[in-house]
Amino acid sequence: MGPISNTGSASGGPGPSSNNASARSSPALGASTRTTTSSRPKDKILSNGYHPINPQKPLSALVSPPLDLTSVERRGQPNAVREPHKPRSRPQGIEEAPTYCPTEEEWRDPIEYIKKISPEASRYGICKVIPPESWNPDFAIDTERFHFRTRKQELNSVEGSTRANLTYLDGLAKYHKQQGNNLHRLPYVDKKPLDLYKLKKAVESRGGFDKVCKLKKWAEIGRDLGYSGKIMSSLSTSLKNSYQRWLCPYEDYLRLAKPGVHQQLEAEYGGPLTPSPAVTPAKRSNVNTPVSMAADSPARQASDALQAGLNGIKQEVQDTPMTDAQPAPTRAPSSGFTAVNSSGATPSNSGFTSVNRPATRDSASFMPEPRHFGSPAPLAKDTPEARPSALCSAASLKRQGSSDGSSDSTKKEQDGENSVSDSANRRSKRLKKDVAPTVAGSHMSLFRPSVPRIPREDHAAAEEKCQTCGRSEEAGPLLVCESCDNSYHGQCLDPPVKRQPDAEWNCPRCLVGDGQFGFEEGGLYSLKQFQQKANDFKQGYFENKMPFDHALNCHRPVTEEDVENEFWRLVTDLEETIEVEYGADIHCTTHGSGFPTLEKHPKNPYAADPWNLNLLPFHPESLFRHIKSDISGMTVPWVYVGMIFSTFCWHNEDHYAYSANYQHFGATKTWYGIPAEDSEKFETAMRNTVPELFETQPDLLFQLVTLLTPEQLRKAGVRVYAIDQRAGQFVITFPQAYHAGFNHGFNFNEAVNFAPSDWEPFGLAGVERLQLFRRQPCFSHDELLWTAAEGSASSGLTIQTAKWLAPALERVHRRELQQRKDLIAKHLELTPHPCRNFSNGEDGCPLAFDVLDEDVHDEEEQCCAYCKAFAYFSRFKCLQSGKVLCIAHAGHHPCCAQSETERFLGRDHVLIYRKSDEMLNAAYDKVVEKAKIPDLWEEKYNKVLDETARPSLKTLRALLNEGERIAYDMDAMPTLKEFVDRCNDWVDEATTYLVRKQQNRRKNEKAWQSVSRKSTGTSSQEVKEKDSRNVDNIHRLLREADHIGFDCPEITQLHDRAAAIKEFQHNASRALASKATITMDVCLELLEEGRAFNVDLPELDGLSRVLEQMQWDEKARSKRKMFLSLKEVQDLIDEGKRLEIPAYNDRLQFWHEQLRAGEAWEQKAKELIHAEFIHFPQLEALFAQVQANALPVSGETLTQIDRILQKQREAHRQVRDMAHRCRNPDPSKRPRYQEVVDMMKSFEDLNSKPNGTIDVENERKRHEDWMRKGKKLFGKSNAPLHILKSHLEYVLERNRDCFDVEHDTPRQPGEPVSRDPSPVSGGHPADDIRSRQVFCICRKVEAGMMIECEVCHEWYHYKCLKIARGKVKEDEKYTCPICDWRMKIPRDASRPKLEDLNALVDEIPSLPFQPEEDEVLRQIIDDAQSFRNHIARYCNPILSTSAEVPAQRFWLRKIEGAEVLLAYETNFFRQELHKWAPVAPEPPPILEVSLSTRKPRPTKLQKMLAEYGVDNPDDLPEHAKGKANSLRRKAANAEAAAAAAQAASGPILPPSSTHGYPYQPFYPRSSGPGSSGIPATSHGQARRSTSTSEDGRFRADPMDIDSGLHPGLLGSGGPQLHVSHAAKSLEERLLQGEVDDMELHTEEGKSKALEILSRTDKGRRQAETIWGPDVWGTRHLSISDQGRSMTPADIDPMMKHDEGKVDQMFKEMTNQDDEDDQKGKDEPVDAAVTAESLENERNGLDALLDGE
């Protein structure tokens, strides 16, 4: 054996002073990792730093930092490893297993997809499945609470050849040391260490030592061992001497000792080591010790040989350290040897180290610190005798070698977990495992087979006891085996040892070796801690191994190929040992699954996904759904947490099941697979390569602890395939396929088993193989089949289940009945007796028999004590020992002290049937019957086809219906369905020609028409329909029926139909030949008969045409007296043309005439409707003509005419009603102004205004003239009309404060008391501020900036006097406009005199409508008059004195603040104040008007001059001069009117003497008392002046704005306006007789005038006045004239007369005379007389009156 030059470990670390990161982060460290002064005792930590021996908290109670999932490779994340485009190169030329990428559709059902790929993938044993991109389940484990234990793996110990080498050398060293010859180092040959194991194998392969010497094969052996040709001449001698010195004694000893040790192992194993279910001939002794064996036994001989070489009594090696003691820094090895080239270093992996003694470790290596056993108690626990025997437990170890360092139950006790629930209803793949004893120095388990042990009564004794007598040292000193720690008294050994051996002593069993091997338990980690450990190890291992890349200036990154090559190098390297840790077989029931589950994540869609490994075993197509309890690792997933180089060794799945492995995240996992076909080759290769391991462990392949390199397997003819699994990918393994693999780094996988129906034969073979090796299966295969046979509660037994179950159940049924028969035969034959159980004998059979169909929960009661198989259907129980045997081993196996004959007789035994023979037969028959259903159907199907060449369609349909009810895919079903569907299609097509009812024909026509309309290709659809109705199809169908080869009634009916069609064609042809004499009834009868055939016949077209012509003629005749629309008449004519009705047909000619008349009416009506001015009499005539002559017209046009006429009549009614109400003598009952505005607005939609509209508009204008007059009084001439009312409301509100004489009375000047906020606008503040002081001319409270007059000391608002801030300095003195008349009061509007307002009110009774301003205006006048009456006593000049100055200022202040001018009172107070308290040097002028101080708006003429940039109108462009001249004339007229108004104004008169004004009024400075004036009326209104023109007609003064030319509806009482002719329309001038004769002398002018005047009664009377009463004649006769209606006879000549002049008529109706010559140039001639044009005229008049 070579030296150990480089060692490493994934779990180890330095000594006590080490800062091991992994150890520090372990949750098991607790308080031991921090310095504290707490009195609480610290947790005890073992030397490995991860699993303390003191009681721990439960794993579920531990909390660690969570794992950052972004730090690991996960699918869909940027750090995920990408799938290579092509397979990478692998060592040893291994081929790649297939990879599959299913589509979304294929991914829906995992079992179906695996069935699809199985034919190809199963040839490789394994395959990879990459889910679709959209499938990415969440990682559901809580990484803070997830903790797990690991297993330690030494890589070169898992390889079979290496481990066999180490095992042999270990035994060799122990043997020679016991003989006193320490094998400190391997012998050297040619300066190289000699591998003694290989030397031994080479000699064995050549026939043994003697034969090699005889044949002189030593040189050949040297070449095989690797020695070159240039070797010393003594090579053969050196090899021979080495073999003779070191190997021959040991080999001789093995030949003597092996049989005894193997016999002992067989006794412990419960049978022979050879895998055979046969009864072993060896009889076990009562006590499991070598002493119990016979004196001549091989074991006894081996003991004697060993004792002969002992020289002395064995001494105690060393004291046992405490459990919490740290390891010694250095320690000499207690056994083993030092390699010659190791420089004295102790090989840490050395198999030569004593298996139960600690050895030192190099603190600088990757290896962990050695484990120290502190007391005999833990050592006794790890001995084979201390472990519970599997013979007393039905759930023996399934994979012993792959177990953790302790059993799961032990783990759960240590972790505080309760395992009762699992044991009650759940089994595990590796449940109740024996504790694997470990090798202290190498962290490897003892090389001892995982076999059942004979139960011992002493378990983990508190002190060491003799393995023979069971007593302690009190009976004498104990000899302790250096390897297994078993103790023996010297006198108990055979032969006895008289004295303590001087050298190390090993028992014969340890020197021979029992081959036991397993993985030691590792640390306790969270995912984050294990990730850190794994990453640190990988980085440290490869840090200096990778070549330097000068381009990247760093070491080359590690590739997957690098890791794979390094893994196999380490596995096969005998000298270099690397130890890693692997978190394998972690139960999901305890730690949780990586997939979401319905219990914890009910809303997660992946919790119910069929690829979820928690659900996959229970897929409806998986046979594991028939298992009644959960099996951890098979039906409940296990999870695996790996690091680099951690491995899983060669194995196949339990029960040869399928497996699915999913990688949630992490580094790549490389898999190797061997197809099931090569499994036997693989097993043979394993046995041939390492036969030593199989000698004592025939079930080695079940232990998952052995690897062979792919290269070795391929040399043995075994096919090996590889595949790389990455995050988010599945690996599927197939039944009986061996597989192994290793990890490239930190990763997390989850795996589970499942079983499609094709698994069952493999499952049965797997159970039989387990029984062969006497290993307990995970579940009962028989029970699974029986449960499947019973069926589920919902669906029962299905055919799919019965198909695979029938052959399986047949094998089980046959086997069970045969075994029962054999047992009963043995029972009856060996000791003949009258058996009451199995014959008709009397009660005398000692064998108890019972049929007990109930569940057995005790596994020891279920499983055979010998072969460990489940005894489901029958079991044989010994009442003495309590052992249960299967029916195959019942009586054969020694369950008690009785002889075999006695056991078969059955005394103290009971035979229990779970299912009786009858139940087995019934279940088997039911399954077989269910499975035969498809076969019976197939037989019936074949019988029908064989009986006749033309089977009946009815029979085939019944057969198809029966087959469709069979829930199973049958080969003949698609063919039968296709044939029946073809026959059905034939029958459906034939039925369309067989149905005789006309309604079916019509339905088909509608359906065809609907399809034709919806189809995009109408022509193709029509062709298709036409082809389907071809009569030749009937003959084609008859030919097809003969060709298809079936029989049905429709075939006979179709033959009859073909004959009927032929007869119809003959009759129809004869009728068409004489169609002039054919009647409609005969034609209809023939058509009904022909259409019933549902085919297109030429005769049908001819008959249809003849019938349609007859029907059209009848329809045209019947509709002659009916009212039809224009479209209906056109359709009728078009139908006649389509039917080729001759043109000379009377009815067709009649409807042509009606169509022409209707179209002429339609054209005339549309001309009238769309004319700008509608001639309503003609519309009335057209409407009446339709009713009288029943003309065909369009309903839309007729409705439109009726709607226009209705609107016109309604408008005319409104106009008449309005005119009538305007004449009401009571002004309060006249309509309000807004009513007429709304009415005129409603007329805007009419094409022509109704009669009387102009009169109403004139009255509206007159009313608006009054409103304009009111606006002008307040200086609002240019403002809209509605401003008048709003301004009057403002005036009323303002005057209430100024004319208030009740709360605001003369007072002494005072300072404002407070600065209260301004009053809220919109409401009158009288209610809340009357008691407060008011100031200023507005007589409101203090608000805002105010200023005090230095004379009267009154305070004024800046806002009221429009004083800008900062204009008046603080030191300047201010005089108010009351004290100094020269100070102007700013006003936004003019203030009319009270007398003017009285005159405005007096005009209201003469208005045609009630003004909206009436009430407000009268309130203003009443308030002003009341105030005037109140202050009349203060306006007496005789009583005026200087003492009255404050009161006079007070009253003048209120008068100036009001919005109504009291001229007399204002002038009186101003004169008196100047008289008694003058401020200005001159007296104030007489105030006649109070105008607005706002800057006037520019006139239209000024705007035009500014627009063109000129000052003189004469400089304007030619096109603008006309409008400018018109504006100049208007301005001149306004100036004249203003001058006339000024001349008409008289002196300012005081109020009537009744109010206390007896004195003379004030006169303007320009006139004296003698000046002419116009005395005022009672309200001071001037008398109007009139004049008479030269021609005697009444003419108003040109400057009198109150005169006019429109007497109006109320006579001349109302105000009149003078308007020039240019502002009037032609209609107005015609009605008023103001048209010049020049305009009427032409025919065109006269016609135009008559057309306008004919609209109203007044106009017609005016026309008769001008041209005489005969001016109208018949030409302009109205429908309403003479009180009678016009008849169509009257209208028709009129229409014909006017037919050619309609356009001219409407042109004349819509034209009017020009305003003047210039306006005719600028504006269109065809200007319509509308309300808008009239409003424009009024606006022009406003401008004239305002003087713009």
Side-chain angles (χ1 to χ4, degrees), residues 68 150 257 335 345 363 380 419 431 765 898 911 963 1021 1103 1444 1681 1694:
D68 183 7
T150 62
S335 64
S363 61
S419 61
L431 196 63
Q898 294 181 4
L911 178 61
Q1021 183 65 30
L1103 289 173
E1444 296 294 328
D1681 287 347
M1694 182 190 302

Side-chain angles (χ1 to χ4, degrees), residues 370-381:
R371 176 176 178 178
H372 295 274
F373 300 89
S375 66
L379 292 177
K381 177 182 68 175

Side-chain angles (χ1 to χ4, degrees), residues 1248-1261:
S1248 180
K1249 303 299 184 292
N1251 293 336
T1253 303
I1254 295 179
D1255 296 336
V1256 175
E1257 287 183 347
N1258 290 336
E1259 294 302 320
R1260 175 188 172 188
K1261 294 174 185 177

Side-chain angles (χ1 to χ4, degrees), residues 1604-1734:
L1605 299 176
H1606 306 282
L1609 297 174
L1610 304 179
S1612 59
Q1616 309 295 327
L1617 295 176
H1618 174 264
V1619 185
S1620 66
H1621 294 343
K1624 296 181 180 180
S1625 64
L1626 177 61
E1627 183 178 2
E1628 292 176 341
R1629 288 182 287 147
L1630 284 172
L1631 292 175
Q1632 297 174 8
E1634 299 176 359
V1635 181
D1636 297 335
D1637 292 341
M1638 292 294 293
E1639 298 179 24
L1640 304 177
H1641 75 282
T1642 63
E1643 183 63 27
E1644 182 178 358
K1646 179 180 179 181
S1647 176
K1648 181 176 181 181
L1650 288 175
E1651 188 63 37
I1652 294 174
L1653 293 175
S1654 65
R1655 299 174 186 173
T1656 61
D1657 295 338
K1658 184 177 179 181
R1660 286 192 288 275
R1661 290 194 295 271
Q1662 182 68 14
E1664 293 174 359
T1665 302
I1666 298 174
W1667 286 288
D1670 297 334
V1671 67
W1672 301 112
T1674 59
R1675 179 173 175 269
H1676 292 89
L1677 189 59
S1678 174
I1679 296 177
S1680 58
D1681 287 347
Q1682 307 300 328
R1684 70 177 180 86
S1685 299
M1686 296 183 65
T1687 64
D1690 299 328
I1691 295 175
D1692 189 65
M1694 182 190 302
M1695 292 178 61
K1696 292 181 179 180
H1697 182 271
D1698 294 339
E1699 193 173 25
K1701 300 182 179 180
V1702 174
D1703 294 337
Q1704 182 64 27
M1705 175 186 68
F1706 284 107
K1707 182 177 180 182
E1708 293 173 355
M1709 289 169 60
T1710 56
N1711 290 340
Q1712 62 178 17
D1713 292 340
D1714 299 334
E1715 263 188 26
D1716 49 32
D1717 294 337
Q1718 186 61 34
K1719 187 173 182 180
K1721 295 178 181 180
D1722 297 338
E1723 297 180 3
V1725 178
D1726 297 335
V1729 181
T1730 61
E1732 183 179 357
S1733 63
L1734 295 175

Side-chain angles (χ1 to χ4, degrees), residues 805-869:
L805 182 58
L809 201 60
E810 191 272 335
R811 292 190 296 269
V812 173
H813 176 258
R814 183 176 62 250
R815 181 208 70 200
E816 182 67 22
L817 293 184
Q818 184 62 42
Q819 289 176 351
R820 289 182 181 183
K821 182 179 178 181
D822 294 342
L823 177 62
I824 295 172
K826 284 279 189 181
H827 170 69
L828 296 176
E829 292 173 1
L830 290 180
T831 56
H833 64 282
C835 181
R836 70 177 184 274
N837 297 321
F838 307 107
S839 65
N840 298 327
E842 301 176 357
D843 295 341
C845 182
L847 177 63
F849 174 74
D850 193 7
V851 178
L852 192 61
D853 189 6
E854 62 182 17
D855 291 335
V856 180
H857 299 291
D858 186 1
E859 289 191 353
E860 294 185 359
E861 187 77 13
Q862 299 181 54
C863 298
C864 176
Y866 176 72
C867 68
K868 310 305 175 189

Side-chain angles (χ1 to χ4, degrees), residues 79-380:
N79 58 356
V81 180
R82 295 185 179 180
E83 190 73 12
H85 296 291
K86 57 182 179 179
R88 62 182 177 86
S89 60
R90 295 189 180 274
Q92 304 164 11
I94 305 174
E95 295 183 21
E96 198 81 9
T99 299
Y100 298 95
C101 299
T103 63
E104 295 280 357
E105 182 67 26
E106 293 173 330
W107 185 252
R108 293 181 180 178
D109 191 337
I111 300 297
E112 286 298 324
Y113 183 70
I114 291 171
K115 285 183 180 179
K116 179 180 179 181
I117 65 175
S118 180
E120 177 190 9
S122 62
R123 297 199 301 267
Y124 298 85
I126 60 172
C127 71
K128 181 168 66 175
V129 177
I130 302 178
E133 291 294 335
S134 60
W135 196 87
N136 194 11
D138 305 323
F139 185 64
I141 286 181
D142 183 359
T143 59
E144 292 185 2
R145 297 187 178 273
F146 182 83
H147 296 84
F148 60 96
R149 297 186 186 276
T150 62
R151 301 170 187 168
K152 297 181 180 179
Q153 298 177 333
E154 288 183 344
L155 297 184
N156 61 352
S157 295
V158 297
E159 205 277 328
S161 301
T162 307
R163 184 163 80 246
N165 193 332
L166 294 175
T167 303
Y168 182 81
L169 293 179
D170 186 44
L172 180 67
K174 291 176 183 177
Y175 172 79
H176 283 286
K177 187 173 185 180
Q178 189 160 318
Q179 300 299 324
N181 302 319
N182 289 330
L183 185 63
H184 292 293
R185 67 177 194 177
L186 294 174
Y188 267 58
V189 174
D190 194 22
K191 299 180 181 181
K192 290 197 304 183
L194 176 62
D195 191 334
L196 295 177
Y197 174 74
K198 290 185 179 179
L199 177 61
K200 174 246 184 187
K201 295 288 289 184
V203 171
E204 277 186 356
S205 65
R206 289 168 173 81
F209 178 76
D210 293 336
K211 193 171 184 179
V212 170
C213 292
K214 183 178 180 180
L215 298 177
K216 299 181 180 182
K217 295 285 188 181
W218 292 108
E220 180 183 334
I221 292 174
R223 288 190 294 271
D224 288 349
L225 294 180
Y227 294 98
S228 62
K230 297 179 182 180
I231 61 175
M232 64 184 70
S233 59
S234 62
L235 171 63
S236 299
T237 305
S238 298
L239 294 177
K240 178 180 178 181
N241 291 338
S242 297
Y243 188 93
Q244 196 168 14
R245 178 184 178 186
W246 298 109
L247 297 183
C248 278
Y250 184 57
E251 287 294 318
D252 293 339
Y253 168 74
L254 289 180
R255 279 192 291 273
L256 294 174
K258 266 187 179 182
V261 173
H262 285 185
Q263 186 174 355
Q264 180 184 358
L265 293 177
E266 286 182 359
E268 294 181 1
Y269 193 72
L273 292 179
T274 56
S276 172
V279 180
T280 174
K283 301 294 186 287
R284 291 188 307 172
S285 61
N286 295 328
V287 182
N288 184 23
T289 61
V291 180
S292 64
M293 301 180 185
D296 56 351
S297 67
R300 182 67 173 268
Q301 296 173 7
S303 178
D304 293 342
L306 285 173
Q307 293 296 329
L310 294 175
N311 297 321
I313 301 175
K314 179 180 177 182
Q315 301 294 327
E316 192 69 21
V317 178
Q318 64 177 25
D319 295 334
T320 304
M322 300 297 293
T323 57
D324 56 351
Q326 299 295 335
T330 60
R331 176 184 174 89
S334 59
S335 64
F337 59 90
T338 303
V340 294
N341 62 341
S342 62
S343 302
T346 302
S348 59
N349 73 318
S350 175
F352 310 133
T353 305
S354 178
V355 295
N356 68 337
R357 293 289 181 264
T360 57
R361 296 285 176 147
D362 183 5
S363 61
S365 69
F366 288 93
M367 301 297 289
E369 287 296 319
R371 176 176 178 178
H372 295 274
F373 300 89
S375 66
L379 292 177

